[in-house]
Amino acid sequence: MTPHADSVLRRLQGPCTQSVLTYYEMKGIETVRPEDVDAYKANYRCFTPGLQATDIMDAYTDWAQTYDATLCAGRYNGPEMAAEEIAARVEEHHRHCVRVLDVAAGTGKVGKELAKRGFTMIDALEPSEGMRNLLEDTGVYSYKYTEFLGLGENSVPDDTYDVVVIVGGMGEGHIPVSGIDDLIRITKPGGLVINVMRLEYLDYVEAYKDKLEPYMDLLHQKGWWQKVDRKVVPNYAFDKEGIIFIHRVL
């Protein structure tokens, strides 16, 4: 075991540790700085393989009150990255009339970043009750959906949003590949879908590996949407690379 691994393992041991194998079973933790291990553990609880959707929602509800402190700026930079991407594509004088849906909105980090940049028509989709309660405190969301994507019918109307953004909502047990169909359905023709996620999930999340990106490309070929950009970015979360997918619905 490397000195770094040994240090991380010591941080993991305690009343919440089930076995020594915990370190090795937590994918991606081997590159996490020792000072970020506790935060990574809290995050990983919501991304543990094998959890059902209800288990994940319960985990987020339990975590809600300390979520923002745990995933603070510097440790998790996805919301700011997404807001910058959106702002770069919408002229400042037009932002007040652009309708945005923040998918997997969590505690409202993305919405608050968008509000700083002049966006005022922001709705949220968030199935976790604990997270959704905190969205009320942000004061930036007009309407809040209690919905899942890709799991069947939901109440989000078709062709409604100029921009649909999802940050951190793609991961183990989270939005399935079929959720892409919903993202397209609820976006206006000509509108943007922006997905910001951890790059390594494309390599080891079985639901996405060799499936997510090929499916997005297939929909491009079918004329459902057009690929605008695909960029790998540094320091998305826990010093790990992120990937930003930007598509325009046709």
mmCIF file of all heavy atoms in Angstrom, residues 20-38:
data_model
loop_
_atom_site.group_PDB
_atom_site.id
_atom_site.type_symbol
_atom_site.label_atom_id
_atom_site.label_comp_id
_atom_site.label_asym_id
_atom_site.label_seq_id
_atom_site.Cartn_x
_atom_site.Cartn_y
_atom_site.Cartn_z
ATOM 1 N N VAL A 20 -11.903 -3.096 5.648
ATOM 2 C CA VAL A 20 -10.722 -2.539 5.026
ATOM 3 C C VAL A 20 -10.928 -2.387 3.532
ATOM 4 O O VAL A 20 -10.355 -1.510 2.896
ATOM 5 C CB VAL A 20 -9.494 -3.440 5.323
ATOM 6 C CG1 VAL A 20 -8.281 -2.994 4.530
ATOM 7 C CG2 VAL A 20 -9.186 -3.438 6.814
ATOM 8 N N LEU A 21 -11.795 -3.206 2.936
ATOM 9 C CA LEU A 21 -12.030 -3.147 1.502
ATOM 10 C C LEU A 21 -12.698 -1.845 1.082
ATOM 11 O O LEU A 21 -12.709 -1.524 -0.099
ATOM 12 C CB LEU A 21 -12.907 -4.327 1.068
ATOM 13 C CG LEU A 21 -12.263 -5.708 1.134
ATOM 14 C CD1 LEU A 21 -13.285 -6.769 0.764
ATOM 15 C CD2 LEU A 21 -11.061 -5.787 0.207
ATOM 16 N N THR A 22 -13.232 -1.090 2.037
ATOM 17 C CA THR A 22 -13.928 0.142 1.698
ATOM 18 C C THR A 22 -13.066 1.042 0.835
ATOM 19 O O THR A 22 -13.527 1.621 -0.136
ATOM 20 C CB THR A 22 -14.346 0.892 2.977
ATOM 21 O OG1 THR A 22 -15.198 0.057 3.740
ATOM 22 C CG2 THR A 22 -15.084 2.169 2.637
ATOM 23 N N TYR A 23 -11.791 1.187 1.179
ATOM 24 C CA TYR A 23 -10.901 2.067 0.416
ATOM 25 C C TYR A 23 -10.856 1.656 -1.042
ATOM 26 O O TYR A 23 -10.982 2.483 -1.941
ATOM 27 C CB TYR A 23 -9.492 2.052 1.020
ATOM 28 C CG TYR A 23 -8.483 2.752 0.144
ATOM 29 C CD1 TYR A 23 -8.367 4.138 0.177
ATOM 30 C CD2 TYR A 23 -7.689 2.040 -0.735
ATOM 31 C CE1 TYR A 23 -7.470 4.791 -0.651
ATOM 32 C CE2 TYR A 23 -6.789 2.678 -1.562
ATOM 33 C CZ TYR A 23 -6.683 4.050 -1.511
ATOM 34 O OH TYR A 23 -5.797 4.685 -2.339
ATOM 35 N N TYR A 24 -10.679 0.374 -1.279
ATOM 36 C CA TYR A 24 -10.505 -0.101 -2.643
ATOM 37 C C TYR A 24 -11.809 -0.091 -3.435
ATOM 38 O O TYR A 24 -11.793 -0.027 -4.656
ATOM 39 C CB TYR A 24 -9.909 -1.504 -2.628
ATOM 40 C CG TYR A 24 -8.557 -1.531 -1.947
ATOM 41 C CD1 TYR A 24 -8.435 -1.946 -0.629
ATOM 42 C CD2 TYR A 24 -7.422 -1.088 -2.603
ATOM 43 C CE1 TYR A 24 -7.211 -1.942 0.010
ATOM 44 C CE2 TYR A 24 -6.191 -1.077 -1.981
ATOM 45 C CZ TYR A 24 -6.086 -1.508 -0.665
ATOM 46 O OH TYR A 24 -4.870 -1.485 -0.041
ATOM 47 N N GLU A 25 -12.938 -0.162 -2.736
ATOM 48 C CA GLU A 25 -14.224 -0.195 -3.413
ATOM 49 C C GLU A 25 -14.729 1.192 -3.776
ATOM 50 O O GLU A 25 -15.638 1.317 -4.588
ATOM 51 C CB GLU A 25 -15.247 -0.915 -2.536
ATOM 52 C CG GLU A 25 -14.963 -2.404 -2.400
ATOM 53 C CD GLU A 25 -15.863 -3.072 -1.384
ATOM 54 O OE1 GLU A 25 -16.551 -2.355 -0.630
ATOM 55 O OE2 GLU A 25 -15.874 -4.313 -1.342
ATOM 56 N N MET A 26 -14.143 2.218 -3.204
ATOM 57 C CA MET A 26 -14.570 3.584 -3.504
ATOM 58 C C MET A 26 -13.802 4.063 -4.727
ATOM 59 O O MET A 26 -12.673 4.533 -4.631
ATOM 60 C CB MET A 26 -14.331 4.502 -2.307
ATOM 61 C CG MET A 26 -15.191 4.159 -1.117
ATOM 62 S SD MET A 26 -14.898 5.239 0.307
ATOM 63 C CE MET A 26 -15.640 6.750 -0.263
ATOM 64 N N LYS A 27 -14.406 3.911 -5.882
ATOM 65 C CA LYS A 27 -13.732 4.241 -7.127
ATOM 66 C C LYS A 27 -13.352 5.715 -7.172
ATOM 67 O O LYS A 27 -14.132 6.580 -6.802
ATOM 68 C CB LYS A 27 -14.630 3.890 -8.311
ATOM 69 C CG LYS A 27 -14.862 2.394 -8.454
ATOM 70 C CD LYS A 27 -15.757 2.081 -9.630
ATOM 71 C CE LYS A 27 -15.956 0.585 -9.782
ATOM 72 N NZ LYS A 27 -16.838 0.250 -10.924
ATOM 73 N N GLY A 28 -12.136 5.958 -7.637
ATOM 74 C CA GLY A 28 -11.659 7.315 -7.808
ATOM 75 C C GLY A 28 -11.000 7.924 -6.591
ATOM 76 O O GLY A 28 -10.386 8.991 -6.684
ATOM 77 N N ILE A 29 -11.073 7.267 -5.436
ATOM 78 C CA ILE A 29 -10.563 7.876 -4.216
ATOM 79 C C ILE A 29 -9.031 7.877 -4.154
ATOM 80 O O ILE A 29 -8.435 8.653 -3.414
ATOM 81 C CB ILE A 29 -11.144 7.180 -2.968
ATOM 82 C CG1 ILE A 29 -11.002 8.101 -1.755
ATOM 83 C CG2 ILE A 29 -10.507 5.818 -2.741
ATOM 84 C CD1 ILE A 29 -11.734 7.630 -0.525
ATOM 85 N N GLU A 30 -8.411 7.034 -4.960
ATOM 86 C CA GLU A 30 -6.954 6.911 -4.872
ATOM 87 C C GLU A 30 -6.226 8.200 -5.249
ATOM 88 O O GLU A 30 -5.067 8.400 -4.867
ATOM 89 C CB GLU A 30 -6.468 5.756 -5.755
ATOM 90 C CG GLU A 30 -6.701 5.926 -7.249
ATOM 91 C CD GLU A 30 -8.099 5.534 -7.685
ATOM 92 O OE1 GLU A 30 -8.897 5.098 -6.827
ATOM 93 O OE2 GLU A 30 -8.398 5.675 -8.888
ATOM 94 N N THR A 31 -6.879 9.100 -5.968
ATOM 95 C CA THR A 31 -6.230 10.353 -6.357
ATOM 96 C C THR A 31 -6.698 11.540 -5.515
ATOM 97 O O THR A 31 -6.275 12.674 -5.761
ATOM 98 C CB THR A 31 -6.511 10.665 -7.839
ATOM 99 O OG1 THR A 31 -7.916 10.821 -8.030
ATOM 100 C CG2 THR A 31 -5.987 9.548 -8.740
ATOM 101 N N VAL A 32 -7.543 11.301 -4.534
ATOM 102 C CA VAL A 32 -8.099 12.383 -3.726
ATOM 103 C C VAL A 32 -7.104 12.792 -2.644
ATOM 104 O O VAL A 32 -6.509 11.946 -1.980
ATOM 105 C CB VAL A 32 -9.437 11.947 -3.096
ATOM 106 C CG1 VAL A 32 -9.966 13.007 -2.134
ATOM 107 C CG2 VAL A 32 -10.460 11.665 -4.184
ATOM 108 N N ARG A 33 -6.946 14.086 -2.456
ATOM 109 C CA ARG A 33 -6.049 14.592 -1.412
ATOM 110 C C ARG A 33 -6.563 14.171 -0.033
ATOM 111 O O ARG A 33 -7.778 14.148 0.191
ATOM 112 C CB ARG A 33 -5.959 16.113 -1.490
ATOM 113 C CG ARG A 33 -5.242 16.636 -2.724
ATOM 114 C CD ARG A 33 -5.197 18.138 -2.723
ATOM 115 N NE ARG A 33 -6.533 18.718 -2.838
ATOM 116 C CZ ARG A 33 -6.775 20.030 -2.794
ATOM 117 N NH1 ARG A 33 -5.788 20.887 -2.612
ATOM 118 N NH2 ARG A 33 -8.018 20.478 -2.920
ATOM 119 N N PRO A 34 -5.664 13.868 0.904
ATOM 120 C CA PRO A 34 -6.099 13.437 2.241
ATOM 121 C C PRO A 34 -7.092 14.395 2.900
ATOM 122 O O PRO A 34 -8.033 13.960 3.556
ATOM 123 C CB PRO A 34 -4.787 13.357 3.028
ATOM 124 C CG PRO A 34 -3.758 13.048 1.984
ATOM 125 C CD PRO A 34 -4.196 13.793 0.754
ATOM 126 N N GLU A 35 -6.902 15.690 2.701
ATOM 127 C CA GLU A 35 -7.802 16.650 3.341
ATOM 128 C C GLU A 35 -9.196 16.661 2.723
ATOM 129 O O GLU A 35 -10.131 17.249 3.292
ATOM 130 C CB GLU A 35 -7.205 18.066 3.293
ATOM 131 C CG GLU A 35 -6.973 18.621 1.904
ATOM 132 C CD GLU A 35 -5.561 18.352 1.376
ATOM 133 O OE1 GLU A 35 -4.974 17.324 1.767
ATOM 134 O OE2 GLU A 35 -5.069 19.181 0.582
ATOM 135 N N ASP A 36 -9.349 16.016 1.564
ATOM 136 C CA ASP A 36 -10.653 15.973 0.902
ATOM 137 C C ASP A 36 -11.347 14.616 1.040
ATOM 138 O O ASP A 36 -12.441 14.425 0.495
ATOM 139 C CB ASP A 36 -10.496 16.290 -0.587
ATOM 140 C CG ASP A 36 -10.166 17.747 -0.842
ATOM 141 O OD1 ASP A 36 -10.489 18.586 0.021
ATOM 142 O OD2 ASP A 36 -9.587 18.047 -1.909
ATOM 143 N N VAL A 37 -10.726 13.694 1.738
ATOM 144 C CA VAL A 37 -11.266 12.336 1.814
ATOM 145 C C VAL A 37 -12.638 12.285 2.477
ATOM 146 O O VAL A 37 -13.546 11.601 1.999
ATOM 147 C CB VAL A 37 -10.274 11.398 2.531
ATOM 148 C CG1 VAL A 37 -10.951 10.102 2.958
ATOM 149 C CG2 VAL A 37 -9.097 11.087 1.619
ATOM 150 N N ASP A 38 -12.823 13.013 3.563
ATOM 151 C CA ASP A 38 -14.125 12.978 4.243
ATOM 152 C C ASP A 38 -15.229 13.502 3.324
ATOM 153 O O ASP A 38 -16.340 12.963 3.295
ATOM 154 C CB ASP A 38 -14.073 13.809 5.528
ATOM 155 C CG ASP A 38 -13.254 13.135 6.623
ATOM 156 O OD1 ASP A 38 -13.056 11.908 6.537
ATOM 157 O OD2 ASP A 38 -12.810 13.836 7.546
#
